[in-house]
Amino acid sequence: MRRQTQGALLLTLGATLLSISAFSATYVNYVRPGFRPLIIAAGVVLAALGLLSVAQEWLGRADAHGTGHGHRVAWLLAVPVFALVLIAPPALGSFAAGRDDGAPAPLRTAAYRPLTGGQVTGLTLSEFIGRAYTPSGLSLAGTGVRLTGFVTLPRTGRHWYVTRMRISCCAADAFAMKVAVEGAPAPKENSWVEVTGTWIPWKHGIPHDYAAPAMTAATVTAVQQPAEPYE
């Protein structure tokens, strides 16, 4: 591979990273929002290296022996470019959630804030599940809540799930947070919805093995995918 071609690939890869992070929010489909400065910095560095390499070749100062079998590995730089530009993978959805065995109950070291009775409170799925598994009190009992997520359909059963993927670093470590929805017909799988309703208390106390908590739906409203699809 010629030095100029290598430079062009570096420049393209750097420009792609900048396009999904500095000039759009596409990067949140792959990593947490806090990684944006690092992605932008990496894009700037790669673009600068690519420009330098192309400039050296153009000015005739490139190494005349810059070809060989070893440089074929450089073509691998094109793989992430093609994946991001040509394929543009979306945020993880029902396909990934359906292959997840379920998240363990979140551990809490502090009490949740009290919920206001008589009104609907918006919660993340993580907090809803954490409250359902908190043994110190029934903070969800009789309180209206609002959850936002995408629809996951089970292989068997009468209910469906409102789901959100949770990540620690990037999409590679994502796992599904699910809440079973009863009392409403299932919308189209993978569509985003806002569900209001009330928690269904455990029949026999908090289970020893993890099981998705359930809620009775009062309303189910179709919504657009949020700007940050992961929790």
Side-chain angles (χ1 to χ4, degrees):
M1 177 183 286
R2 295 177 57 192
R3 178 73 62 83
Q4 190 172 12
T5 305
Q6 295 176 26
L9 282 175
L10 285 173
L11 179 59
T12 303
L13 181 57
T16 301
L17 291 178
L18 290 174
S19 70
I20 67 171
S21 57
F23 305 111
S24 76
T26 307
Y27 73 99
V28 297
N29 289 340
Y30 320 116
V31 297
R32 296 187 66 86
F35 284 90
R36 187 178 193 181
L38 297 177
I39 299 175
I40 293 176
V44 170
V45 171
L46 289 173
L49 290 174
L51 283 173
L52 179 61
S53 182
V54 171
Q56 286 180 335
E57 177 76 12
W58 185 264
L59 295 176
R61 294 199 296 267
D63 187 354
H65 302 287
T67 60
H69 296 291
H71 292 289
R72 292 177 182 175
V73 178
W75 284 107
L76 294 176
L77 291 172
V79 174
V81 175
F82 293 147
L84 292 174
V85 177
L86 300 181
I87 303 175
L92 297 177
S94 60
F95 180 84
R99 282 148 184 79
D100 188 270
D101 293 331
L107 298 177
R108 294 291 300 183
T109 57
Y112 287 104
R113 71 186 190 281
L115 297 180
T116 303
Q119 68 180 39
V120 176
T121 303
L123 298 177
T124 64
L125 269 71
S126 299
E127 182 175 347
F128 182 91
I129 295 172
R131 286 177 179 272
Y133 271 89
T134 299
S136 59
L138 301 177
S139 63
L140 290 174
T143 303
V145 297
R146 180 176 60 255
L147 304 179
T148 301
F150 57 86
V151 176
T152 304
L153 302 179
R155 298 182 180 89
T156 59
R158 296 176 298 175
H159 55 256
W160 50 278
Y161 297 101
V162 57
T163 309
R164 202 78 176 257
M165 303 300 289
R166 185 174 182 178
I167 62 175
S168 299
C169 171
C170 58
D173 61 27
F175 58 88
M177 309 293 292
K178 301 178 182 179
V179 173
V181 179
E182 300 183 6
K188 182 180 178 181
E189 186 171 26
N190 212 44
S191 60
W192 281 81
V193 294
E194 182 180 87
V195 183
T196 62
T198 54
W199 171 57
I200 301 176
W202 306 108
K203 292 183 179 180
H204 305 290
I206 297 176
H208 296 291
D209 296 327
Y210 181 80
M215 68 182 296
T216 298
T219 63
V220 178
T221 306
V223 296
Q224 295 293 322
Q225 176 180 304
E228 297 181 14
Y230 305 124
E231 286 193 2

